[in-house]
Amino acid sequence: MLETEELWEENVRRVTPYTPGEQPQQKNIIKLNTNENPYPPAPGVREAMQEMDIDLLRRYPEPYGDPLRKALAEETGVEPEELFLGVGSDEVLALAFLTFFHGEKPVLFPDITYSFYDVWAELYRIPYRQISLNEDFQISKEDYIFPSEGKDGIGGIVLANPNAPTGVELNPETLEEIIAAHPEVVVIVDEAYVDFGATSVQPLLKKYNQLLIVRTFSKSRSMAGLRLGYAIGNKKLIKYLYDVKFSFNSYTINQPTIILGQAVLRDRPYFEKTVRQIEETREKSASRLESLGFKVFKSKTNFLFVTHPKLDIPDLFEWLKKRGIFVRHFNKPERIRPFLRISIGTEEEMEALFTNIKEYIIGKEK
Ligand SMILES: *Cc1c(COP(=O)(O)O)cnc(C)c1O
């Protein structure tokens, strides 16, 4: 029986929410489904937490997240006024959509990309057009440089680089051509995974005032649970972003985040060591998967996007899950249904994954 709709429901803003990867609560599982870092936060984080002055919690935090913003400015080589801090890059992106995409013209992004972009566009009623990636999950730059709406016909561009969930990197020259072609709209480049061997477009900030780069502490810095992300951009862009944010919630960056975020930044060698380890495990894992017959896309991230010509991928996904190994499978869009996105875990976790995949394959061959 269908429930009848109540009168007040007519006035509700109805949306289909983003579906995050599962966060199963049982212990002893191998979690390769949400691109978290398999290594713990930098050792200094524990110390900073233990030494935190609890009385600080009595007060509201500094509204810009200083002194964390200053420390991050030093780390990234920009002015503090060129930085915006948010509760994960999801919040930064959500506020950037709200701030910069305010017109009748469609915002462009690929059909296969971070599946939150269309959710925000729907939420804010921003028109958008999703452009198909080619067979190799690459973008064709002409689609963005010469959009079918015409040069004056678009409201913005959003590109994740490297892209998710494919892991594929777009070269910085191509990105620059796209950014240079559209001085009249904001171009957002989501660099959630840039630390895992990709090239940042940060040098382009000097040339293009309409470029906004978004990054996160969730992946390369092992701090998904803290919820800290940031944007880098021209001071004017950042000011507009803060104006919207301060019209919504002044105190988003809480006191523990300000303290722990700085502790993360203090240990650069740990950051570099863990990132390098993940890259090494990624390359090894890619070869092993290929030797099992998988097609593996060249990744510059902490995950691999794979398919197999002979295996029933949704079935393999469920089978692994029953054995406590969680990877990510997307039902939408249709053409990525035969793919799995596998986050890079520790060497031991990847070993367990391969053992299980081999067992699955042997079981099917019988
Ligand atoms: C993980 C991810 C984010 C969001 O990360 P936060 O945890 O909210 O910082 C944003 N964009 C892409 C492409 C991601 O994969």
Side-chain angles (χ1 to χ4, degrees), residues 3-17 119 121-125:
E3 261 194 76
T4 52
E5 197 170 300
E6 297 190 52
L7 291 174
W8 54 266
E9 287 184 82
E10 236 179 78
N11 297 311
V12 170
R13 183 187 293 274
R14 285 189 245 194
V15 285
T16 310
V119 173
E122 293 281 345
L123 172 64
Y124 302 133
R125 316 292 190 242

Side-chain angles (χ1 to χ4, degrees), residues 18 34-35 86-93 113-117 120 159-165 190-193 214-219 223-225 227-230 302-303 341:
Y18 171 75
T34 54
N35 298 343
V87 183
S89 54
D90 281 344
E91 191 198 47
V92 179
L93 288 161
T113 188
Y114 189 36
S115 52
F116 224 140
Y117 301 152
W120 287 311
L159 293 169
N161 195 48
N163 197 14
D190 181 349
E191 294 192 338
Y193 300 101
V214 180
R215 295 199 198 128
T216 177
F217 277 50
S218 296
K219 278 81 183 224
M223 294 297 276
R227 309 307 299 128
L228 179 61
Y230 61 99
N302 66 338
F303 58 84
R341 192 196 66 189

Side-chain angles (χ1 to χ4, degrees), residues 191-289:
E191 294 192 338
Y193 300 101
V194 78
D195 293 331
F196 299 103
T199 305
S200 172
V201 288
Q202 194 178 327
L204 301 182
L205 286 172
K206 288 193 198 77
K207 276 163 89 176
Y208 305 102
N209 289 342
Q210 89 286 21
L211 168 61
L212 189 80
I213 300 172
V214 180
R215 295 199 198 128
T216 177
F217 277 50
S218 296
K219 278 81 183 224
S220 58
R221 295 186 186 267
S222 300
M223 294 297 276
L226 190 69
R227 309 307 299 128
L228 179 61
Y230 61 99
I232 314 182
N234 172 272
K235 287 180 190 176
K236 231 185 200 176
L237 278 187
I238 297 298
K239 161 84 165 61
Y240 280 125
L241 204 44
Y242 271 115
D243 285 347
V244 168
K245 173 218 135 83
F246 287 133
S247 309
F248 192 77
N249 182 358
S250 306
Y251 304 111
T252 48
I253 304 302
N254 60 46
Q255 198 61 60
T257 300
I258 291 173
I259 291 169
L260 303 183
Q262 288 177 88
V264 172
L265 294 176
R266 274 195 291 269
D267 200 341
R268 184 147 193 109
Y270 180 83
F271 164 68
E272 283 168 1
K273 189 178 83 183
T274 45
V275 162
R276 245 182 282 126
Q277 178 60 61
I278 289 167
E279 288 176 42
E280 200 183 305
T281 307
R282 176 188 71 206
E283 295 311 309
K284 223 183 334 181
S285 303
S287 320
R288 290 183 78 174
L289 285 164

